Amino acid sequence: EKPTPIQAQVWPAALCGVDVIGIAPTGSGKTLAYLAPAVPHILGQEKQDTSVPKQTVGKGKGQGTVCLVLVPTRELAKQVSDVCGGGGSGGWLKRLFGLRSGAVYGGTGKEVQLDSIVTLGAPQVLAATPGRLLDMLGLEVLSVEQVTYLVLDEADRMLQLGFEPQLSALLKGIRPNRQVLLFSATFPLKLRTAAEQWMSAQHVVIRVAAMELSGAGAGGQQVGGADDGEDEETRPSTTGGEAGEGASAESSGPSTLTVSPTVHQSVEVCSDPKKPLRLTRLLRDIRAREAASRARQRSAVLVFCSQIKVLRSLAKVVERQGERCAAMHSGIPQAKREQALEDLKSGKVDTLVATDVAARGIHVARLRYVVNFDFPRNIEVYCHRIGRVGRQGAEGWAHSFVTQGDAQLAAGLASLLERCKQPVGARLRRLAEGREAGASEDSDAEGDPAVSAQASAAAGEELRAGDSVRLQGLQSAAHLNGASGRLCRWLKETGRWEVLLDGPSGEVKALKPDSLVAHGPRARRGKLATGARVVLQGLSKAPKLNGSRAHVRRKVRGTDRWEVVLDGSSDVKAVRVENLEIIRPPPAEGARSSSSEDDSDEAAPCASEGSGAATAPQAAA
């Protein structure tokens, strides 16, 4: 109905023909801010024949485009193309103005993109990643000589990925009297320096909901991380690999940051082994609130990890909690990455576990929650991550786990939260002031065996002291693989479990959690009885009930199920023992203990004790 603030300020300046720098939060409408002025610019240019006969391809004569949008990642290139209408005849650019749009990016075969250009001619609006565009220029099927409207979207990210030499080479081939528009949600010192070289001295700087942070506050130099752009053959070589997805350095100095005011931010200071358990509890709380409010559709959750190895293991943990989960990182083929996004948009997947490949260029309407399982390497990346929610005025929630290893970023994070009028916890403040937060953050867990039984970030199992486990994946002691034992205690100093092996030897080993698989009866925090408070978990046939809270009513005679009454409703379900986690023990008087447990994961309608007829409706799938 009306333009967003960034659009209202950029459109007049861009229509006047001046160079523009636009700094605004993610999801504020920056894409349309530079696409709308491009239409009169293209239509006002002298008409030129951009069609090239097939026989001229590769013989020195290329095809041209007028509006060139350079982006750092294939996901963002695809998003820009989608905003243009997808390049088809039904797109608004083609339908209203007769202009065609297209996108070229890495991760997919060049043949399809080449065929489209050769057959249809050059699109007037082209979104491209630098690596793939240089490939097309080398094949002489595209030309930038006719470009007069140049857009650098997420330019800070392109500099982080090391694309500055490629950008400089591309800009040399574009006519000097071009109009340049640069957009980003952050504006670090390195980008400011580069902008002075790329743009005219009379450029206009527009800031919306922006704040300034010092170099230390913004994160300073980036040590490494899961940054992910194009595929390996189309981006500059970076160090990294399985441990991360690239490393980059960023100049220290002041930085301009933007965060949408509709994003509710929260930070939890904890140790690394605790994070998987805290994440599963967070997901249960989210689903419990949705069940209590009778939400028709689950909200989507995006979980960020910094390492592919941790991501793969964490995705399995999330799946075991009953979440429909998918993974997304640079090691996955482009087609599967796009399918994961489509599944998240359509509701086939509820939780996406991803590296920073999903930190930009991702817009999912049903996405309401972002979780930073691993905190990013600087505050600028943090702003881009949480910018996946709170877009276009919608409410969003961002929850971050911060450890002692993130202490160098604590001051900048606390400053950002204060400027965004978000709560700053006492533990985060202590961490920002350089005081140890580890002792205080763990004090509430040391006396509770159920809480102190920590999971690892690699395997993520919610192991508890007393659990029966099986050993797996041992390399230096391969003869122990398949052996069984029982957990004795969690060794906090080394991040390992002390395991007493079964058999006459009675050996005791200190093993990493990712080498242990729980099996057999588990140690429980008490016994089920009438009046106990429980959380439903691990239901495969009724996953929407996972995370719901309930009161235990009675034991179903002759079965291994208990009748539970769901909170916020009168629905009664008969649920097996292993699918119930006790969060508050029953009253001491009149408590009746549960019977034996088995390994099934079904939730069935409750049956009466006498006739066995169903007395409660089955949960909607």
Side-chain angles (χ1 to χ4, degrees):
E1 296 180 357
K2 62 180 181 180
T4 64
I6 186 65
Q7 293 169 355
Q9 297 185 58
V10 167
W11 286 347
L15 291 172
C16 290
V18 299
D19 291 355
V20 177
I21 297 177
I23 311 299
T26 56
S28 59
K30 294 191 294 292
T31 304
L32 198 58
Y34 59 71
L35 282 179
V39 174
H41 180 98
I42 297 171
L43 297 177
Q45 297 297 308
E46 181 181 357
K47 292 184 177 180
Q48 300 181 15
D49 184 12
T50 60
S51 61
V52 179
K54 293 183 180 180
Q55 63 269 21
T56 64
V57 176
K59 296 184 179 181
K61 187 175 182 180
Q63 300 184 12
T65 191
V66 180
C67 173
L68 175 62
V69 183
L70 293 177
V71 295
T73 66
R74 62 193 76 162
E75 285 77 20
L76 188 52
K78 191 174 185 301
Q79 177 182 301
V80 173
S81 178
D82 291 341
V83 172
C84 294
S89 59
W92 63 274
L93 282 178
K94 180 67 174 179
R95 187 176 65 256
L96 299 178
F97 306 104
L99 302 177
R100 290 188 303 102
S101 61
V104 293
Y105 49 85
T108 59
K110 301 176 185 177
E111 294 76 12
V112 177
Q113 297 172 356
L114 284 172
D115 290 343
S116 176
I117 295 172
V118 171
T119 303
L120 302 176
Q124 287 91 344
V125 179
L126 178 66
T129 51
R132 180 52 59 91
L133 180 58
L134 285 174
D135 290 344
M136 294 293 186
L137 295 178
L139 295 174
E140 298 183 344
V141 295
L142 281 176
S143 172
V144 295
E145 295 177 356
Q146 298 177 19
V147 172
T148 57
Y149 192 91
L150 175 64
V151 179
L152 302 173
D153 199 359
E154 304 288 7
D156 58 336
R157 177 65 168 152
M158 287 191 279
L159 294 182
Q160 289 178 10
L161 290 173
F163 283 131
E164 187 172 4
Q166 295 177 317
L167 292 175
S168 299
L170 288 171
L171 266 62
K172 289 180 181 179
I174 301 176
R175 53 200 299 179
N177 60 340
R178 61 186 179 255
Q179 182 180 2
V180 182
L181 291 85
L182 187 150
F183 289 86
S184 181
T186 61
F187 198 40
L189 178 62
K190 187 174 183 179
L191 180 57
R192 300 184 189 192
T193 304
E196 296 294 333
Q197 303 174 1
W198 297 339
M199 312 180 77
S200 64
Q202 290 76 30
H203 63 266
V204 176
V205 180
I206 298 173
R207 292 182 173 90
V208 175
M211 62 192 79
E212 293 284 339
L213 282 185
S214 65
Q221 184 169 345
Q222 183 169 325
V223 181
D227 298 333
D228 195 351
E230 303 177 66
D231 53 349
E232 293 299 327
E233 65 180 3
T234 59
R235 82 182 198 187
S237 60
T238 56
T239 60
E242 188 70 11
E245 292 193 79
S248 57
E250 200 167 325
S251 301
S252 60
S255 179
T256 302
L257 307 176
T258 58
V259 177
S260 173
T262 59
V263 178
H264 305 281
Q265 305 173 59
S266 58
V267 176
E268 184 176 356
V269 179
C270 64
S271 58
D272 278 312
K274 280 187 177 181
K275 292 193 296 184
L277 182 59
R278 299 289 177 90
L279 174 63
T280 56
R281 288 179 178 175
L282 176 64
L283 292 175
R284 289 173 191 165
D285 289 341
I286 292 173
R287 302 310 177 201
R289 288 195 296 268
E290 291 176 343
S293 63
R294 295 184 177 273
R296 298 183 61 184
Q297 185 185 34
R298 280 186 164 192
S299 298
V301 181
L302 177 57
V303 182
F304 281 104
C305 295
S306 295
Q307 296 181 334
I308 298 179
K309 182 179 180 180
V310 174
L311 183 153
R312 290 169 177 161
S313 301
L314 189 64
K316 297 178 182 178
V317 174
V318 173
E319 283 183 333
R320 284 196 289 268
Q321 295 301 314
E323 291 283 318
R324 294 176 297 180
C325 177
M328 184 176 178
H329 55 80
S330 65
I332 295 177
Q334 177 64 18
K336 290 187 177 181
R337 288 159 63 170
E338 293 179 0
Q339 185 61 49
L341 279 179
E342 289 301 321
D343 290 345
L344 191 69
K345 293 178 181 178
S346 65
K348 293 181 180 179
V349 167
D350 295 324
T351 302
L352 181 67
V353 185
T355 57
D356 280 335
V357 68
R360 307 184 188 219
I362 302 298
H363 177 64
V364 180
R366 59 187 290 263
L367 184 60
R368 290 290 180 269
Y369 300 93
V370 164
V371 181
N372 287 306
F373 183 82
D374 293 325
F375 198 78
R377 298 297 181 176
N378 58 50
I379 303 300
E380 292 165 0
V381 177
Y382 169 80
C383 292
H384 284 287
R385 282 186 178 184
I386 67 174
R388 299 310 98 205
V389 295
R391 301 173 70 85
Q392 300 176 353
E395 269 194 314
W397 288 263
H399 188 82
S400 302
F401 296 110
V402 175
T403 66
Q404 193 71 37
D406 304 311
Q408 60 180 348
L409 303 176
L413 178 59
S415 177
L416 178 67
L417 293 175
E418 289 175 346
R419 297 192 186 191
C420 295
K421 299 181 180 179
Q422 301 292 321
V424 180
R427 294 173 182 174
L428 178 62
R429 201 173 292 279
R430 284 196 295 270
L431 199 61
E433 294 171 355
R435 292 185 286 166
E436 291 292 331
S440 61
E441 63 155 329
D442 290 333
S443 60
D444 61 342
E446 288 177 353
D448 186 353
V451 177
S452 62
Q454 300 305 324
S456 74
E461 283 283 1
E462 295 180 37
L463 299 174
R464 301 189 182 114
D467 281 356
S468 179
V469 293
R470 182 178 292 108
L471 280 58
Q472 66 172 16
L474 298 174
Q475 297 181 355
S476 58
H479 64 284
L480 292 178
N481 289 327
S484 59
R486 191 164 293 274
L487 299 181
C488 298
R489 57 173 176 159
W490 171 254
L491 304 176
K492 184 177 178 181
E493 299 78 10
T494 60
R496 296 170 180 256
W497 277 100
E498 187 179 84
V499 182
L500 174 63
L501 299 183
D502 294 343
S505 64
E507 287 185 273
V508 177
K509 300 289 184 182
L511 301 173
K512 293 181 178 179
D514 56 354
S515 301
L516 304 173
V517 178
H519 74 99
R522 301 198 61 179
R524 305 184 63 85
R525 288 190 293 170
K527 295 181 179 181
L528 280 174
T530 300
R533 286 274 290 155
V534 294
V535 173
L536 277 63
Q537 62 179 4
L539 301 173
S540 60
K541 291 189 176 180
K544 287 189 176 181
L545 291 179
N546 288 325
S548 300
R549 301 194 177 200
H551 281 88
V552 175
R553 191 167 73 172
R554 61 182 174 179
K555 182 78 166 56
V556 179
R557 184 179 299 173
T559 71
D560 61 347
R561 300 174 185 267
W562 283 81
E563 288 185 9
V564 296
V565 183
L566 301 181
D567 288 358
S569 71
S570 58
D571 291 346
V572 180
K573 302 295 178 185
V575 185
R576 287 197 169 99
V577 177
E578 63 271 15
N579 299 122
L580 300 173
E581 179 182 359
I582 300 175
I583 57 177
R584 191 178 67 202
E589 298 180 9
R592 292 181 297 173
S593 63
S594 68
S595 61
S596 61
E597 306 174 10
D598 60 22
D599 295 327
S600 180
D601 64 348
E602 304 294 329
C606 180
S608 65
E609 296 186 20
S611 63
T615 60
Q618 192 166 4

